[in-house]
Amino acid sequence: MQETTVTFQPTEPRPAPVHQTKAIAWLRSNLFGSWFDTLVTLALTGLLLSFVPDLIRWLFVTATFQGDDTVCRENGGACWPFIIEKFQVLMIGVYPQDLAWRPAICAIALVVLAWLTYWDRIRGVALIVAWAVLPIFALIMIGGAFGMQEVDQSVWGGLMLSIMLALVGVIVSIPLGILLALGRHYGSPAIKVLCVTFIELLRGVPLITILFMASVMMPLFLPPELVINNLLRIQIGLIMFSSAYMAEVVRGGLQAIPKGQSEASLSLGVSPVYTVAFIIVPQALRHVLPPLIGRCIALFKDTSLVIIVGLLDFLGMIKSAALDTDWLGFQAEAYVFAALVYWLICYSLSLYGRQLEKRGPNART
Amino acid sequence: MTAVKLESSIAEDETVIAMQNVNKWYGDFHVLKDIELTVAKGERIVICGPSGSGKSTLIRCINHLEEHQEGKITVNGTVLDKNLKNITHIRREVGMVFQQFNLFPHMTILENLCFAPVWALNMPRAKAEETALHYLNRVGIAEQKDKYPGQLSGGQQQRVAIARSLCMNPSIMLFDEPTSALDPEMIKEVLDVMIELAETGMTMLCVTHEMSFARSVADRVIFMDEGEIVEQNTPAAFFDAPQVDRTQKFLSQILSH
């Protein structure tokens, strides 16, 4: 065989790319990569330029931060003193002023617990117990018990009420949803029919209808001594509605668990109940974390519907503040503030969801 | 793999599994037909046969992962019926290793091993961990105890699965094609663990296509086809002088390559 010698010949060095600075390179590849990208970039820039400067002018430049309504009207921009004056009403409604420290303590407890949860400082059983105890603590503090001055539920309102409805709703409806899903997935035929009927009935009806039923119709049918207070009826309505949706989300997760998982656990002699509790449900929940967080966010936003059955939640307070004759014409500020608060809370929930997804064995592989 | 035949450890007078006239149907499909099988303490049985012959179903009936419709199955003196107490009692005596490992992916290796002793036997956590480490050492992967199953190779996962079963201190082990889902280079490490287990005198029923394992470890080889036990014999007699046509055909197919 003939031997061939190959001489290594280096290719000519190429010149460095023209756009060396990071910013320009980034712009080129991300915003002006092709003629279509360029077109989209230009169109969006035009759109932003058409309203963002005006918005900023209204929000900050010509806005009023101190003074009263006359100053506001002179300046023409957003009127923030209006929000500042209404702040307490927006937060706790017409709850007695001298007792406002009680919901304040609850709010601090909620923020601290949320912080600890987000940064994974509290886990497992302690985490579940803490979140189960928090609403009970809040109810005692806000409603008054053990010798504290009692505050009637008719004066609970504002953001406090919205958060309470959502928090209790989520904390009760997730376990309830899990039970419903388990009943539908593993139950005997009778239990299955019961669960399916409940889920389909509640999913097939708009939330407003359920709230009306809870608030207006239930007292008509029930004997007077069984009629519980309006707020509790509405809370139960919200929980039932939410748990039907939670059940369907969880069921999706249950279906994703291979049969081998329960077989392995059962073959080790572990009881069916423990198998479901420690092998099936934790894995199912992990699978459906994103839609589960989505349902929590939806429930929080859905609480704004309680205004139609006479509860003055956060959005209700925003509406009534906007009708205050001393501050007429400042509705926009009220709704901008409402949007900001809703967005902050919902966005932190979805941040927490993302944080959760990053943790655990699934993320590690 | 060792070609040396293991010493038999059968205690002839002690029957641990007795299947009498066991029948099972999936709908119209008759999957187990009049199964008669007794297993003595310490006996090592290999069950082979073509796909769909009912061999997996047979061993899955022993710990009631499948329900038999006719006949009687007795394990360690307990009759297997619909009584959940009896079923659970038998499952604690009988370990099982699956083709797909079936480790719990949301738990670490150590948690996988401690789960059943803690929740089925109420063993204190510290004791369970001690037992778990003992068996992890025995299958040679103690250093992986804090990893999750997804981080281990198939062979390692199957060894963990064997250790997990052993943590319940079973008297009988069932293996349902334990090496079928493994890459070829990992089969040996799992078979070695099984051979070591056989040397301790464990009663074993293995559904497997590893014929060299059957030759060196089994006391008895059972051939199943279409839901029936067609032939059973000592490995030497079974492989060298099969009596029935179907057995000969099966053996010629699997041994020819």
Side-chain angles (χ1 to χ4, degrees), chain A residues 18-30:
Chain A
V18 187
H19 300 294
Q20 282 167 307
T21 47
K22 260 189 175 171
I24 293 177
W26 186 88
L27 279 178
R28 254 185 88 94
S29 64
N30 287 292

Side-chain angles (χ1 to χ4, degrees), chain A residues 237-306:
Chain A
L238 274 173
I239 287 171
M240 283 172 30
F241 180 78
S242 168
S243 62
Y245 277 93
M246 296 287 188
E248 285 303 276
V249 169
V250 173
R251 191 166 69 99
L254 292 178
Q255 283 169 340
I257 310 299
K259 208 167 165 244
Q261 287 293 309
S262 55
E263 285 181 352
S265 177
L266 291 175
S267 76
L268 286 165
V270 178
S271 72
V273 172
Y274 286 157
T275 298
V276 167
F278 298 118
I279 303 299
I280 308 298
V281 169
Q283 292 189 58
L285 290 183
R286 181 159 285 286
H287 278 295
V288 295
L289 213 47
L292 213 56
I293 296 284
R295 285 312 313 167
C296 297
I297 291 174
L299 179 62
F300 177 61
K301 292 189 294 185
D302 283 348
T303 57
S304 59
L305 288 173
V306 299

